[in-house]
Amino acid sequence: NAGVTQTPKFQVLKTGQSMTLQCAQDMNHNSMYWYRQDPGMGLRLIYYSASEGTTDKGEVPNGYNVSRLNKREFSLRLESAAPSQTSVYFCASSERGLDQPQHFGDGTRLSIL
Amino acid sequence: AQSVTQLDSHVSVSEGTPVLLRCNYSSSYSPSLFWYVQHPNKGLQLLLKYTSAATLVKGINGFEAEFKKSETSFHLTKPSAHMSDAAEYFCVVSDPPGGSYIPTFGRGTSLIVHP
């Protein structure tokens, strides 16, 4: 039961470098999400994809781009990393609907020097 | 607009004593409410959800929560804490405006369990 798989688990970047965080789910969910988690801030939504072929900005989209590659995969790209983007990034998926819970990956811990 | 406030950033209990994690929400509609748990270096896991059926909701690992519309609260409780309950807990509200069902997370409550 893989659920939501995120790669890589850890990454260290230098300021200005680019990188793509990968996320794949095997539950045939329509909706996928990217969050960042910072101490004392809870989870903040970066981007989401309500269904295959659509993406929308969340609360903190600046400095990020996303691609919904297909129904299974949703990637997050940092074009020019900044120290303020040091965080733990979580991908989640769910069925569409008010009462549908989200399923989370184990996170990517990203440090930008 | 929806919002959620977790009233305590940290809660400390002794093993075997009751747990109470408080959550208040704001919603213009009839929301769905969730509690998630996050153990260290792990993703979030669903504990329980409320979706306008019974107001007292039972979840995994002995946790339960009561939806009180008059108080706009959805507090999480457990009769007896176990060391393995030490984790971060998140209250989440989701309501339907626009049909996007984007959930809003509280800032989390860290539960500390002493032997």
Side-chain angles (χ1 to χ4, degrees):
Chain A
N1 295 338
V4 178
T5 303
Q6 291 184 236
T7 55
K9 295 188 184 305
F10 304 94
Q11 185 70 47
V12 179
L13 293 177
K14 294 181 179 179
T15 298
Q17 288 185 315
S18 62
M19 117 158 255
T20 300
L21 280 61
Q22 307 286 354
C23 175
Q25 53 93 8
D26 63 1
M27 294 168 283
N28 203 36
H29 286 163
N30 284 299
S31 300
M32 297 186 73
Y33 313 79
W34 275 106
Y35 292 92
R36 62 178 289 173
Q37 183 178 28
D38 302 292
M41 300 294 291
L43 270 71
R44 292 183 291 169
L45 184 64
I46 305 171
Y47 271 92
Y48 68 98
S49 172
S51 60
E52 186 178 358
T54 69
T55 60
D56 288 285
K57 294 179 180 180
E59 180 185 356
V60 289
N62 291 345
Y64 305 95
N65 286 300
V66 290
S67 296
R68 184 74 182 265
L69 304 170
N70 47 55
K71 192 171 186 180
R72 290 186 65 249
E73 298 172 288
F74 189 40
S75 63
L76 177 72
R77 182 161 178 85
L78 287 70
E79 290 291 352
S80 179
S84 61
Q85 294 177 305
T86 293
S87 188
V88 182
Y89 291 85
F90 287 97
C91 177
S93 70
S94 73
E95 271 304 343
R96 292 203 70 187
L98 180 64
D99 63 343
Q100 297 301 311
Q102 294 172 299
H103 298 256
F104 288 83
D106 282 342
T108 294
R109 285 148 186 83
L110 183 60
S111 293
I112 299 160
L113 307 177
Chain B
Q2 62 191 23
S3 66
V4 59
T5 302
Q6 292 184 241
L7 298 170
D8 305 292
S9 58
H10 297 85
V11 170
S12 182
V13 301
S14 297
E15 191 175 20
T17 64
V19 175
L20 170 64
L21 305 183
R22 299 183 294 163
C23 173
N24 286 352
Y25 70 92
S26 173
S27 173
S28 303
Y29 298 83
S30 295
S32 289
L33 293 156
F34 306 82
W35 276 99
Y36 290 86
V37 60
Q38 183 184 30
H39 291 280
N41 300 314
K42 288 292 186 181
L44 280 71
Q45 178 187 12
L46 180 69
L47 270 180
L48 51 80
K49 68 176 184 180
Y50 166 78
T51 57
S52 76
T55 57
L56 183 62
V57 182
K58 294 188 182 300
I60 62 172
N61 300 333
F63 284 94
E64 62 181 36
E66 186 171 7
F67 174 72
K68 292 187 176 181
K69 187 174 182 178
S70 61
E71 299 176 10
T72 61
S73 69
F74 189 56
H75 300 335
L76 182 70
T77 61
K78 182 174 181 177
S80 176
H82 191 274
M83 294 297 293
S84 61
D85 295 327
E88 191 85 9
Y89 292 80
F90 293 94
C91 182
V92 179
V93 62
S94 179
D95 69 13
S100 58
Y101 310 138
I102 299 302
T104 298
F105 283 74
R107 294 196 172 192
T109 298
S110 179
L111 176 64
I112 301 160
V113 182
H114 299 285

